[in-house]
């Protein structure tokens, strides 16, 4: 079943690429169909997921892809995929957001065949990252995402798109290169890439100090999350990417970093994680506060949301630094909820941009009158983002603070200050964009009427509120996911 | 009789070369020549298969030549490479009907030399085979007779002569030290040599490395590469970048792992190669970024890739059991690189032929004008960068892992950071093709033979990127020759 989720988008992408050019306008329906199918299968997987099991992977698929050891090679690469409470929310998020991204891209007129093909390839790459239980396989999928993302930003983006795309690639490759060295160093002493063996392994006889290996591997995740000062690729990439790609970037790709820290950082190197918990917390606090202050100065709507992501991903790192059940659950949940919320925010910004053709907050005013539907949805997204109770963000951030409070008091306080700041910048932004005196120049604006725009927005709002009101449906699963990590840390 | 049967793969190619010249003299329709050439290569490959089936591995001509898993690996490689080059050259050579025979004959003699080199087991044999390939290559590089091509040929010849001299110094020194030219004899002599001869052996090893360094196109012997690649006819550049390099690495593996593999000196030359690897890849990649001409770009890229191969040679001490994984890493990388670079060069030939330019800037908009050509070139570039799902990905993973096993952590760090630098210009070409606005209109199409060659290469890159198992097995079997028995 997992292989179906994983390779369905890739197969769909091949069909997209070979789609006859005369019927280009129908390729979007095909892409929607494929991503819908992937989403449905992942929902089924989520429904069938055994929540009572406290440890272990489900729906495992396993065979040896390359056995170079047999006649004197040096490693085996396994095709080993499975889900646990840590990965299933991410899988769900990926397939869901990809579906929505395809839908909101229905208006794409420029080279739609390639656009949808790359988007589906991207989905496969990201899903592979979340599903892989072999470190080398994980790395392989980690690299798959590069080319699609590069092309999606640089062809369909706006502004300094080529610069932003190249910057994204260079930052990512720099991180993943160091991770590859780390993976090999780890392999040298453990002789395996298998997650289940690694997470129980007592790592000894390393060539370099084990802490160095830990940081080499974490480099890739810190770039991706992103952690200050490695975040500078993010505002550029987000700002210049097309809306749907921004949604995926913020909603899903950043989570690869957080997920990696939990899966391959903390699980495999519990001792090193404990040693550096304080550094994690300090970096997290810097992320939260620095991100929030930079947001306050932004005039560009997309840049604003991008920096708010930097700030919000700080909570993920803060939750991880607690290294306990509650904090880790919070971190994991924050990834899930932030994915939905930021996805929604970017969709709203995209809808506004399509109509106003500017993202400059200074040029907008009184848009609420002209487009009430977009305005209300934007408000809901904003409230969710600032952590209003009964919305998804609140649950996750509360858990993070509960987790870190008894451990890193100053950082927790800074985190709470970050929430205050986010309330400030979100409300301020909404006020400037939606209220204020109506401007003549926006008299002709129309609200959205397209089902492919309203559908994703409503879907996300429902999901966000459902997590806020009844968090147990997802928290349950996440708790099961972090259980083994907590066990290892003890 | 065994001598002849084991020598037959090379002999068939050589005889075909003679036949091509003869047929060229007497047959008016020159279009048969490439097919005759391909037929010769196919028969040679068929005989090679026969050798394997019949278990014909062993020594020939008093151990001057060996047919073992290692040489067989390269026999197939050179036959395939030569065939693809012939396919790519049909349109190009067709423009000069009176000189077709020479071209194909030279391609075949280069192949003969390279094939002999992979099985050569004696310094004299090595030298003769190397000269056979080299001299044919000088002629090929200057084939066009225009000023650029002649300059390339002359430059190649002069620098090649210097490197040959260096090589001979090294060989002479080795002969003086050991009293034999046979590689196994040298290994035995080195094994029992007294410790105060170590510096002399190291000097010989260094001279050999310098001599072969020219052919491998590594620092500090890389100066000729961009000029020759740019000036030579593109099919010849493709041939040089793959066959010449692969042959050089084959013989370096054979000499250094088998004859000079004694652990008393191997750690020294491993360090030498590690340093050269680091400089080669860094220099090649950094300079490649600034290139405007696609062939010069590939020239520098090939210097950088040679640096990657060297990582595997430096990893001589890496072992898993009795096997040397550094060697198998080089073999796998060479094969993956051969497919990738050929695919890329063939696409370049087809594109440049159609748009009449080798400037990267003129590749703008090819994603639209020539979707298949652009896709193949892009795919090969992705493979050269080392991203999945391509053969290049596994090649890098394999060889870097081998280097880690040999504890060359610093080298691997430099190597992976070089991946980053290389992404800039490989993706840069991609960007131009898919983003740039085309100055001209109209579809760009390629001829049938070259398309076939391209399809085979690209398919190889894909297949070995998804299922590298068979190629890995072959590489490991070949490297098994160097195992400690």
């Amino acid at each position: 079943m997992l292989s179906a989720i994983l390779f369905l988008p890739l197969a769909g992408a091949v069909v997209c690429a070979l789609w006859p050019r005369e019927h280009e306008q129908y390729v979007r329906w095909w892409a929607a169909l494929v991503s819908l199918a992937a989403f449905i299968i992942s929902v089924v997987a989520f429904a069938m997921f055994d929540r009572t099991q406290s440890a272990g992977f489900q729906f495992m698929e396993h065979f040896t892809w390359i056995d170079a050891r047999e006649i004197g090679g040096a490693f085996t690469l396994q095709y080993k995929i499975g889900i646990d409470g840590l990965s299933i929310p991410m899988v769900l998020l990926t397939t869901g957001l990809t579906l929505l991204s395809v839908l909101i891209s229905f208006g794409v007129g420029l080279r739609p065949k390639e656009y949808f093909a790359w988007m589906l390839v991207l989905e496969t790459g990201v899903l592979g990252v979340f599903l892989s239980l072999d470190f080398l396989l994980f790395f392989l999928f980690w690299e798959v995402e590069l080319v699609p993302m590069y092309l999606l930003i640089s062809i369909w983006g706006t502004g300094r798109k080529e610069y932003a795309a190249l910057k994204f690639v260079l930052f990512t490759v720099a991180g993943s290169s160091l991770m590859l060295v780390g993976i090999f160093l780890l392999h040298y002493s453990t002789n395996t890439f298998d997650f289940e063996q690694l997470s129980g392994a007592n790592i000894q006889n390393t060539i370099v100090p084990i802490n160095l290996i830990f940081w080499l591997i974490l480099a890739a995740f810190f770039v991706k999350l992103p952690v200050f000062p490695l975040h500078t690729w993010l505002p550029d990439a987000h700002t210049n990417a097309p809306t749907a790609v921004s949604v995926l970037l913020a909603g899903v790709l950043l989570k690869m970093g957080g997920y990696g820290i939990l899966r391959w950082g903390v699980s495999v190197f519990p001792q090193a994680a404990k040693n550096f918990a304080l550094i994690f917390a300090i970096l997290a606090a810097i992320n939260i506060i620095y991100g929030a202050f930079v947001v306050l100065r932004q005039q560009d709507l997309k840049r604003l949301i991008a920096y708010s992501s930097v700030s919000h991903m700080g909570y993920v790192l803060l939750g991880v630094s607690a290294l306990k059940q509650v904090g880790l659950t919070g971190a994991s949940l924050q990834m899930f909820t932030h994915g939905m919320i930021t996805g929604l925010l970017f969709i709203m910004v995209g809808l506004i941009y399509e109509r106003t053709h500017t993202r400059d907050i200074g040029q907008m005013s009184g848009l609420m009158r002209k487009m009430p539907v977009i305005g209300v949805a934007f408000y809901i997204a904003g409230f969710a983002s600032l952590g209003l109770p009964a919305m998804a963000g609140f649950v996750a951030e509360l858990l993070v603070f509960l987790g870190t409070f008894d451990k890193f008091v100053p950082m927790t306080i800074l985190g709470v200050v970050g929430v205050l700041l986010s309330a400030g910048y979100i409300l301020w932004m909404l006020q400037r964009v939606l209220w204020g005196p109506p401007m003549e120049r926006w008299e002709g604006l129309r609200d959205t009427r397209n089902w492919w725009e309203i559908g994703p927005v409503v879907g996300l709002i429902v999901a966000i509120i459902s997590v806020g009101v009844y968090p147990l449906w997802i928290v349950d699963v996440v708790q099961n996911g972090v259980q083994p990590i907590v066990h290892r840390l003890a | 009789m065994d001598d002849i049967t084991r020598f037959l793969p090379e002999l068939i190619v050589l005889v075909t070369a003679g036949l091509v010249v003869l047929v060229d003299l007497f047959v008016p329709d020159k279009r048969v020549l490439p097919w005759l050439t391909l037929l010769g290569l196919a028969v040679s490959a068929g005989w090679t298969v026969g050798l394997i089936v019949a278990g014909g591995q062993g020594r020939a001509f008093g151990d001057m030549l060996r047919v073992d898993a290692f040489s067989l690996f390269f026999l197939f490689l050179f036959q395939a490479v030569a065939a693809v080059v012939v396919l790519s050259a049909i349109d190009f050579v067709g423009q000069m009907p009176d000189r077709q025979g020479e071209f194909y004959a030279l391609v075949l003699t280069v192949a003969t030399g390279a094939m002999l080199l992979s099985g050569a087991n004696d310094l004299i044999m090595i030298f003769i085979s190397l000269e056979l390939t080299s001299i044919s290559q000088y002629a090929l590089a200057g084939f066009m007779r225009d000023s650029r091509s002649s300059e390339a040929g002359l430059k190649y010849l002069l620098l090649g002569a210097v490197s040959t001299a260096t090589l001979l110094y090294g060989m002479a020194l080795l002969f003086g030290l050991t009293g034999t030219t046979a590689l196994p004899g040298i290994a035995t002599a080195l094994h029992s040599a007294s410790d105060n001869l170590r510096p002399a052996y190291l000097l010989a090893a260094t001279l050999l490395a310098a001599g072969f360094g020219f052919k491998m196109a590594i620092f500090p012997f890389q100066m000729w590469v961009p000029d020759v690649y740019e000036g030579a006819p593109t099919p010849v550049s493709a041939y040089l970048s793959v066959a010449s390099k692969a042959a050089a690495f084959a013989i370096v593996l054979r000499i250094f792992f088998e004859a000079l593999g004694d652990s008393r000196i191997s750690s020294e030359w491993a360090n030498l190669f590690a340093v050269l690897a680091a400089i080669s890849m860094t220099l090649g990649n950094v300079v490649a970024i600034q290139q405007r001409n696609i062939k010069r770009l590939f020239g520098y890229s090939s210097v950088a890739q040679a640096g990657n191969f060297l990582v595997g040679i430096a990893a001589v001490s890496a072992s898993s059991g009795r096997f040397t994984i550094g060697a198998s890493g080089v073999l796998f990388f060479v094969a993956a690189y051969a497919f990738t670079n050929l695919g890329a060069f063939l696409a370049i030939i087809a594109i440049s032929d159609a748009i009449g330019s080798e400037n990267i800037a003129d590749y703008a908009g090819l994603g639209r004008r020539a979707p298949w050509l652009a896709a193949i070139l892009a795919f090969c570039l992705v493979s050269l960068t080392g991203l999945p799902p391509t053969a290049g990905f596994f090649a890098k993973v394999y060889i870097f892992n081998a280097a880690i096993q040999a504890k060359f952590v610093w080298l691997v760090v430099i190597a992976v950071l070089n991946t980053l630098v290389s992404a800039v210009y490989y993706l840069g070409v991609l960007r131009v093709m898919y983003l740039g606005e085309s100055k001209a209109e109209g579809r760009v199409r390629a001829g049938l033979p070259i398309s076939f060659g391209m399809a085979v290469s690209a398919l190889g890159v894909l297949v070995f990127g998804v299922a590298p198992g068979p190629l890995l097995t072959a590489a490991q079997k070949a490297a098994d020759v160097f195992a400690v028995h």
Side-chain angles (χ1 to χ4, degrees):
Chain A
M1 178 146 77
L2 295 183
S3 285
I5 303 178
L6 183 54
F7 290 112
L8 196 65
L10 188 65
V14 173
V15 175
C16 278
L18 299 174
W19 201 267
R21 193 166 281 178
E22 308 84 69
H23 304 292
E24 231 171 22
Q25 67 272 32
Y26 300 116
V27 75
R28 55 187 190 168
W29 289 100
W30 168 252
L33 190 72
V34 170
S35 49
L36 179 68
F39 179 61
I40 289 174
I41 305 177
S42 60
V43 168
V44 171
F46 183 74
M48 286 167 63
F49 187 79
D50 182 0
R51 291 162 186 244
T52 55
Q53 220 169 340
S54 58
F57 291 93
Q58 302 175 25
F59 304 106
M60 284 249 273
E61 288 171 40
H62 184 192
F63 67 87
T64 304
W65 183 358
I66 299 162
D67 193 354
R69 207 191 295 277
E70 204 172 85
I71 57 160
F75 62 86
T76 45
L77 170 58
Q78 314 173 76
Y79 177 79
K80 186 174 183 184
I81 57 175
I83 44 173
D84 65 352
L86 217 53
S87 47
I88 183 69
M90 296 295 112
V91 171
L92 207 56
L93 188 68
T94 308
T95 52
L97 281 183
T98 307
L99 173 63
L100 302 187
S101 300
V102 168
L103 288 180
I104 58 168
S105 307
F106 259 36
V108 164
L110 177 72
R111 294 150 82 171
K113 272 170 53 174
E114 294 157 68
Y115 179 83
F116 289 111
W118 287 122
M119 198 166 250
L120 291 174
V121 173
L122 182 69
E123 184 179 14
T124 291
V126 176
L127 285 172
V129 165
F130 293 136
L131 291 174
S132 299
L133 295 177
D134 182 281
F135 214 165
L136 200 57
L137 188 70
F138 172 87
F139 178 79
L140 190 152
F141 281 115
W142 185 274
E143 301 268 271
V144 165
E145 147 252 349
L146 278 175
V147 174
M149 206 60 195
Y150 175 76
L151 292 172
L152 281 171
I153 297 177
S154 55
I155 298 181
W156 291 274
T158 52
R160 298 172 72 193
K161 52 190 184 179
E162 294 181 21
Y163 165 79
L166 189 61
K167 195 167 175 182
F168 166 81
V169 167
L170 293 187
F171 269 74
T172 310
V173 173
S176 62
S177 301
L178 296 179
M179 174 164 76
L180 184 62
V181 180
I183 293 175
F184 286 147
L185 287 168
L186 184 64
H187 177 259
Y188 179 84
S189 43
T190 59
N191 220 7
T192 181
F193 290 123
D194 187 293
F195 174 75
E196 286 176 303
Q197 289 174 29
L198 281 176
S199 65
N202 185 16
I203 304 162
Q204 281 171 333
N205 301 327
T206 51
I207 310 177
V208 299
I210 187 164
N211 287 339
L212 180 61
I213 303 180
F214 176 68
W215 281 108
L216 281 171
I217 289 175
L218 242 56
F221 304 144
F222 271 30
V223 168
K224 206 75 182 177
L225 193 59
V227 176
F228 177 89
L230 307 172
H231 67 281
T232 59
W233 63 270
L234 182 135
D236 287 318
H238 273 86
T239 312
N240 300 315
T243 304
V245 176
S246 296
V247 170
L248 286 178
L249 197 55
V252 180
L253 268 82
L254 303 189
K255 277 67 197 176
M256 288 162 56
Y259 174 82
I261 293 175
L262 286 171
R263 170 76 80 218
W264 300 103
V266 180
S267 300
V268 177
F269 301 92
Q271 190 52 48
K274 276 189 212 162
N275 295 345
F276 296 111
L278 179 62
I279 294 182
F280 278 29
I282 292 173
L283 287 172
I286 295 176
N287 245 39
I288 294 169
I289 297 298
Y290 167 83
F293 271 113
V294 178
V295 174
L296 284 171
R297 286 190 43 82
Q298 296 308 313
Q299 278 300 312
D300 182 313
L301 265 182
K302 261 187 153 176
R303 251 190 137 70
L304 189 150
I305 311 284
Y307 273 111
S308 87
S309 284
V310 174
S311 179
H312 278 107
M313 292 324 275
Y315 294 112
V316 175
L317 196 58
L318 189 63
V320 171
S321 74
L323 297 177
K324 291 215 188 75
Q325 173 85 46
V326 181
L328 291 174
T329 308
S332 198
L333 192 63
Q334 169 76 357
M335 290 197 280
F336 184 69
T337 57
H338 175 265
M340 297 190 296
I341 295 168
T342 307
L344 184 57
L345 278 172
F346 271 116
I347 292 177
M348 300 327 298
V349 171
L351 293 183
I352 292 174
Y353 175 71
E354 263 172 42
R355 286 160 178 79
T356 61
H357 297 289
T358 177
R359 296 188 307 255
D360 188 354
I361 296 176
Q363 295 184 29
M364 295 181 205
S365 179
L367 295 187
M368 194 63 156
R369 287 157 186 279
K370 287 284 134 200
M371 26 195 198
V373 175
I374 291 178
V376 169
F378 204 8
Y379 251 95
I380 296 174
F383 282 147
S385 178
L386 59 83
L388 197 74
M391 302 262 196
F394 172 73
V395 185
E397 280 163 25
L398 187 70
L399 284 174
V400 169
F401 296 144
L402 282 178
T404 49
F405 186 67
D406 58 348
K407 200 166 175 192
F408 302 116
V409 179
M411 288 68 168
T412 313
I413 292 172
L414 285 174
V416 176
V417 172
V419 174
L420 285 180
L421 287 172
S422 76
Y425 61 70
I426 294 278
L427 292 176
W428 191 32
M429 170 196 76
L430 290 171
Q431 186 201 349
R432 282 184 291 171
V433 172
L434 297 175
W435 303 110
M439 291 167 80
E440 216 170 289
R441 128 174 217 211
W442 305 130
E443 276 308 308
L445 284 192
R446 293 275 171 99
D447 206 351
T448 176
R449 289 275 176 278
N450 302 326
W451 66 267
W452 66 77
E453 289 171 347
I454 296 176
V457 170
V458 171
L460 273 176
I461 290 175
V462 169
I464 289 169
I465 293 179
S466 75
V467 175
V469 175
Y470 186 70
L472 215 57
W473 69 269
I474 186 85
V475 174
D476 241 12
V477 174
V478 172
Q479 265 178 336
N480 281 346
V482 299
Q483 196 71 55
I485 304 179
V486 177
H487 201 71
R488 288 269 292 148
L489 284 163
Chain B
M1 201 51 209
D2 270 359
D3 284 353
I4 296 294
T5 50
R6 286 183 185 137
F7 177 55
L8 219 47
E10 288 89 347
L11 196 60
I12 292 170
V13 176
L14 196 61
V15 168
T16 314
L19 271 180
V20 166
V21 174
L22 279 179
V23 171
D24 185 32
L25 282 179
F26 298 112
V27 178
D29 187 0
K30 306 297 180 200
R31 279 177 304 181
V32 300
L33 293 175
W35 305 109
L36 180 63
T37 311
L38 288 173
L39 183 69
L41 288 167
V43 172
S44 166
W47 190 266
T48 317
V49 173
L51 269 182
I52 297 176
V53 174
Q57 306 187 1
R59 303 159 179 204
F61 302 114
D63 209 14
M64 285 295 251
L65 194 66
R66 275 202 182 167
V67 177
D68 50 20
F70 182 80
S71 72
L72 289 171
F73 182 88
F74 279 100
L75 285 188
F76 284 124
L77 186 71
F78 292 132
Q79 287 152 353
V81 169
V84 173
V85 168
V86 168
L87 285 175
S88 77
I90 290 178
D91 287 340
F92 160 75
V93 192
Q95 296 159 9
M96 341 179 210
D98 56 325
R99 300 172 58 208
Q100 290 203 30
E102 297 158 48
F103 186 87
Y104 295 119
L106 284 170
V107 168
L108 287 172
T109 49
V110 170
T112 312
M115 287 161 77
L116 281 173
L117 209 46
S118 62
N121 203 33
D122 186 289
L123 291 181
I124 304 291
M125 188 68 204
I126 289 169
F127 182 72
I128 294 171
S129 329
L130 190 70
E131 284 308 285
L132 180 58
T133 48
S134 300
I135 293 170
S136 316
Q137 280 168 350
Y138 303 147
L140 277 177
F143 196 76
M144 300 270 275
R145 292 187 190 158
D146 60 14
S147 65
R148 291 259 298 282
S149 182
S150 307
E151 184 197 332
L154 193 63
K155 206 171 229 167
Y156 197 26
L157 170 69
L158 289 177
L159 290 171
V162 175
S163 83
T164 306
T166 320
L167 189 65
L168 275 179
Y169 281 131
M171 287 182 170
L173 195 54
L174 214 49
F175 177 65
L177 285 166
T178 60
T180 174
T181 53
L183 298 188
I186 293 172
T188 322
L190 171 60
H191 199 65
S192 51
S194 72
D195 259 350
N196 50 18
L197 280 179
R198 243 184 87 223
Y201 275 102
L202 280 175
L203 180 62
T206 312
L207 288 170
L208 288 177
F212 290 121
F214 171 78
K215 285 281 161 199
M216 295 188 284
I218 57 169
F219 176 86
F221 311 104
Q222 86 294 350
M223 289 87 77
W224 62 275
V225 177
D227 295 338
V228 172
Y229 279 25
E230 187 189 3
T234 317
V236 175
S237 308
Y239 204 21
L240 287 182
S241 78
V242 176
S244 161
K245 204 180 281 273
F249 273 93
I251 199 59
V252 165
L253 277 174
R254 180 83 84 174
I255 291 187
F256 279 80
F257 278 55
E258 190 160 321
L260 303 173
D262 191 276
S263 58
R264 280 183 302 169
I265 64 164
S266 70
S267 64
E268 306 279 340
W269 58 251
N271 280 326
L272 171 72
F273 279 127
V275 171
L276 292 180
I279 303 178
S280 297
M281 58 176 76
T282 311
L283 182 104
N285 279 328
V286 169
V287 182
I289 293 178
Q290 305 150 7
Q291 300 308 313
R292 301 271 173 272
N293 179 296
I294 189 90
K295 279 160 79 180
R296 285 189 84 82
L297 182 133
F298 267 83
Y300 283 109
S301 134
S302 88
V303 173
Q305 298 288 349
N308 279 326
F309 299 171
L310 279 187
V311 172
I313 294 184
V316 58
S317 68
S319 59
S320 147
R322 61 192 183 87
F323 300 100
T324 49
I325 55 176
S328 51
V330 174
L331 293 179
F332 183 79
F333 208 137
V334 165
Y337 168 83
F339 277 104
T340 310
N341 233 35
L342 279 181
F345 259 111
L346 261 57
I348 290 171
I349 294 170
I351 293 170
S352 297
D353 234 26
I355 66 174
S357 165
E358 285 165 4
N359 282 330
I360 298 171
D362 294 330
Y363 278 38
L366 277 176
R368 277 304 217 193
R369 289 176 64 197
W372 282 103
L373 286 176
I376 283 176
L377 183 52
F379 190 61
C380 292
L381 289 167
V382 167
S383 178
L384 285 171
T385 320
L387 300 177
T390 62
F393 174 77
F394 284 113
K396 284 201 172 162
V397 164
Y398 198 98
I399 216 160
F400 293 168
N401 183 44
I404 290 281
Q405 302 281 329
K407 302 194 178 168
F408 272 116
V409 180
W410 66 269
L411 183 58
V412 178
V413 170
I414 291 181
V416 295
L417 290 179
N418 263 290
T419 308
L420 174 71
V421 181
S422 73
V424 176
Y425 62 88
Y426 288 137
L427 290 181
V429 178
L430 212 78
R431 192 193 51 157
V432 172
M433 287 196 301
Y434 284 99
L435 270 65
E437 283 304 316
S438 176
K439 287 169 203 144
E441 276 307 310
R443 293 280 284 219
V444 175
R445 288 183 197 284
L448 203 57
I450 195 169
S451 303
F452 179 72
M454 241 183 305
V456 169
S457 311
L459 212 60
V461 177
L462 179 65
V463 167
F464 294 133
V466 175
L471 184 58
L472 267 180
T473 312
Q476 284 165 348
K477 282 222 177 91
D480 194 13
V481 172
F482 307 124
V484 188
H485 291 289

